Amino acid sequence: MTSAYIALGSNLDNPASQLRRALRQLNCLHQCQIESLSGAYSSAAIGPGTQPDYLNAVVKLATALSAPQLLGATQTIENSQGRIRSQRWGPRTLDLDILLYGGEEIHTQSLQIPHPRMAERNFVLYPLAEIAGEKLILPCGGVLGSLLANCPLGDLVRTQVSLDIEHEPG
Ligand code: ROI
């Protein structure tokens, strides 16, 4: 099994429900199991125009899927939750980004790991640090704590929203 970290984000159609649904689907993937989950963080959308705020979280998934298989699975889940890819950085029901896959560095046309923009995104780094710890070493040799030191918290807020998928009606 490999440990993969996946960032979740939503700013449309009840973001908390979107994240919980996605977590249930990730946990149900063949030979995949959620190992840990961050809190839910809220922040203003980075993107064009006026958009609803985002809810973000990071999950650690133990998986026997290869990285390309995991990418395919995350895209299937995004599509199943009505993700429409019309506008770059436009609002979305669900975004799933593979941040890290074991200690691997992957650079193909369809998959970039570590995620190329994670270092500049507070809504990725802070939830990631919550579950992985600031001592996490990235495949390129960087330390998560150093990335955090260069990425202000800004308007990011850790909310009381529960992403618990075991006690949620649906
Ligand atoms: N902005 C925030 N706050 N959170 C996100 O998850 C997010 N995701 C995106 C873009 C459009 C860059 N903006 C975001 O993909």
Side-chain angles (χ1 to χ4, degrees):
M1 296 289 255
T2 301
S3 284
Y5 289 92
I6 299 173
L8 302 92
S10 169
N11 73 339
L12 280 185
D13 296 348
N14 195 338
S17 295
Q18 298 287 350
L19 297 196
R20 283 190 289 262
R21 234 174 107 190
L23 289 165
R24 274 197 298 270
Q25 296 209 66
L26 286 169
N27 206 35
C28 284
L29 289 173
H30 184 58
Q31 291 196 316
C32 289
Q33 202 180 359
I34 291 177
E35 287 193 321
S36 44
L37 173 64
S38 74
Y41 290 72
S42 153
S43 60
I46 295 175
T50 307
Q51 296 186 31
D53 286 354
Y54 268 85
L55 201 63
N56 289 102
V58 170
V59 66
K60 182 181 186 185
L61 193 72
T63 181
L65 300 180
S66 67
Q69 285 172 330
L70 185 59
L71 175 67
T74 58
Q75 289 172 339
T76 300
I77 295 171
E78 286 175 338
N79 293 338
S80 79
Q81 294 189 210
R83 168 78 179 268
I84 295 162
R85 291 162 207 279
S86 54
Q87 182 190 20
R88 186 170 190 249
W89 288 14
R92 54 203 61 194
T93 50
L94 180 65
D95 202 8
L96 295 175
D97 288 330
I98 305 173
L99 304 174
L100 299 168
Y101 181 86
E104 290 187 27
E105 247 187 283
I106 301 172
H107 299 288
T108 64
Q109 210 170 19
S110 53
L111 195 54
Q112 299 280 323
I113 293 176
H115 190 281
R117 285 173 297 282
M118 64 185 274
E120 68 225 36
R121 292 186 168 173
N122 55 5
F123 56 82
V124 168
L125 293 184
Y126 285 85
L128 175 62
E130 185 185 322
I131 56 172
E134 295 194 11
K135 291 186 179 150
L136 179 78
I137 313 255
L138 302 172
C140 37
V143 182
L144 181 54
S146 308
L147 299 185
L148 278 172
N150 289 307
C151 186
L153 187 61
D155 70 343
L156 189 72
V157 171
R158 191 182 189 283
T159 71
Q160 295 300 312
V161 171
S162 169
L163 298 179
D164 185 350
I165 53 172
E166 262 148 42
H167 306 101
E168 196 252 344

